[in-house]
Amino acid sequence: MSPRILALAGALSALTLSIPAAADEGAFASCLAGLRAEAQAKGVRADTFDTHTAALAPDMAVIDFLDAQPEFVTPIWDYLAALVDEERVADGRAMLAQWKDVLAAVESRYGVDAETVVAVWGVESNYGRNFGTRPLLTSLSTLSCFGRRQAFFRGEFFTTLKIIQEGHVAPERLNGSWAGAFGHTQFMPSTFTRLAVDFDGDGRRDLVDSVPDALASTANFLKRAGWQATLPWGFEVSVPRGMDAADAGRRNKQPMAEWAARGVRRVDGRALPAGGAPSGLLLPAGRGGPAFLVTRNFDALYSYNAAESYGLAIAHLSDRLRGGAPFATAWPTDDPGLSRAERRELQQLLIAGGHDIGEPDGMIGARTREALKFEQARLGVPADGRAGQRVLQALRAAAGR
Ligand code: CA
């Protein structure tokens, strides 16, 4: 779906619109005037362009997001602890029940099962609770006129104007990530154009206010990415200690029989499926952590966000929604990650300790990290600002909990 830069969108959660300098305002106005003819050449009517750009002002904060370097690389066990927690499993089961009939119709049309579709929904927008709050036209016009990837974002900007022109989504409903991903499925506008479908039959492809359209569009995305109804995404495996894993990797697929001959087994001890699909050996944290054999269906999940950690989150959440267990093998860390409930508790403890970090929303932003560094230094542990089990337990103990 989305460019790799979207991986940053979840990590950075500033909500403010930054105030543009006068020079930025002037440059923006002349840039927009210069885009008018190009927009028309791409199918945006002049009246559409004029109506929906007249009141635009640049939001220079999106340029900061575009240029942001992650403060540190988030370990995969932190991503998964928050993306696949008990809360998201319970919420997903409720969604499976609520949208049962629509999901059955989606599966019969596109060949993608309900748990997989709902898992994508849960990871992308927390089942429609988190669309992002930035007006798409503001973000995409700013990115069209400033920063490193203007040609790419101009295409997304013109496409957004066409989505409005065609009446699929009202402009005031088009809010999303700083980079322009929007709605239940967090499609970029260009992905919308290629893959969004009208499943409720009202003539509009509405990924913001129609859950059936959004679920079907997700399934259509996966089908077009090569999803095979008869295949699992993969499964957790055990790898013999001495096995040479130099050829590990999602892309390097070998026949299941080849892996079996090398001693790879499912973690529950069952043999690998005979005649199973070609699979790659995924070692997200190296030899010391969980291992997986993944099929081409995992590649379809991967393509949703171009990150193996997100692909694994969707895959694992789908298994949990089917009643599957957490991974059998622990991650190679003595300080595991936190669920969103634990993150909120951590933030409440920091607030009770006098830190001004805003509302306990479970998002670990810059202010939470600064407060954590302060507390870690006080506790005499490495002050890296990471929210893990160790600092949570220390803060609980200090608060007498
Ligand atoms: Ca519709």
Side-chain angles (χ1 to χ4, degrees), residues 198-202 204-206 210 213:
D198 170 25
F199 201 67
D200 61 16
D202 71 349
R204 300 184 306 129
R205 299 187 277 160
D206 186 351
S210 168
D213 285 6

Side-chain angles (χ1 to χ4, degrees), residues 131-194:
F131 286 170
T133 56
R134 291 179 181 275
L136 246 63
L137 288 176
T138 297
S139 302
L140 291 172
S141 60
T142 305
L143 291 159
S144 294
C145 290
F146 302 97
R148 292 182 285 108
R149 301 187 63 201
Q150 293 177 28
F152 167 76
F153 284 113
R154 284 176 187 187
E156 299 294 335
F157 177 47
F158 301 150
T159 302
T160 303
L161 288 165
K162 283 168 73 177
I163 291 170
I164 293 167
Q165 178 172 288
E166 291 167 9
H168 295 296
V169 187
E172 67 274 14
R173 301 293 293 150
L174 275 175
N175 301 307
S177 77
W178 66 267
F182 69 99
H184 288 277
T185 56
Q186 295 286 289
F187 277 11
M188 290 294 286
S190 55
T191 311
F192 174 100
T193 299
R194 284 190 302 119

Side-chain angles (χ1 to χ4, degrees), residues 245-316:
D247 59 349
R250 175 174 62 84
R251 290 188 180 84
N252 189 16
K253 293 185 174 57
Q254 312 286 337
M256 219 53 100
E258 165 77 16
W259 294 115
R262 291 165 69 178
V264 175
R265 298 288 180 267
R266 297 183 65 142
V267 281
D268 57 11
R270 279 186 291 157
L272 301 181
S279 306
L281 178 65
L282 192 69
L283 301 170
R287 286 300 293 267
F292 308 90
L293 282 182
V294 297
T295 69
R296 58 183 287 180
N297 276 2
F298 185 84
D299 297 337
L301 299 178
Y302 169 89
S303 69
Y304 217 97
N305 226 322
E308 286 180 354
S309 52
Y310 280 84
L312 191 60
I314 293 166
H316 186 44

Side-chain angles (χ1 to χ4, degrees), residues 185-235:
T185 56
Q186 295 286 289
F187 277 11
M188 290 294 286
S190 55
T191 311
F192 174 100
T193 299
R194 284 190 302 119
L195 297 170
V197 296
D198 170 25
F199 201 67
D200 61 16
D202 71 349
R204 300 184 306 129
R205 299 187 277 160
D206 186 351
L207 301 185
V208 177
D209 289 314
S210 168
V211 170
D213 285 6
L215 296 178
S217 297
T218 293
N220 188 42
F221 180 105
L222 293 173
K223 183 184 179 191
R224 296 277 291 274
W227 187 270
Q228 298 281 310
T230 53
L231 277 187
W233 64 267
F235 37 78

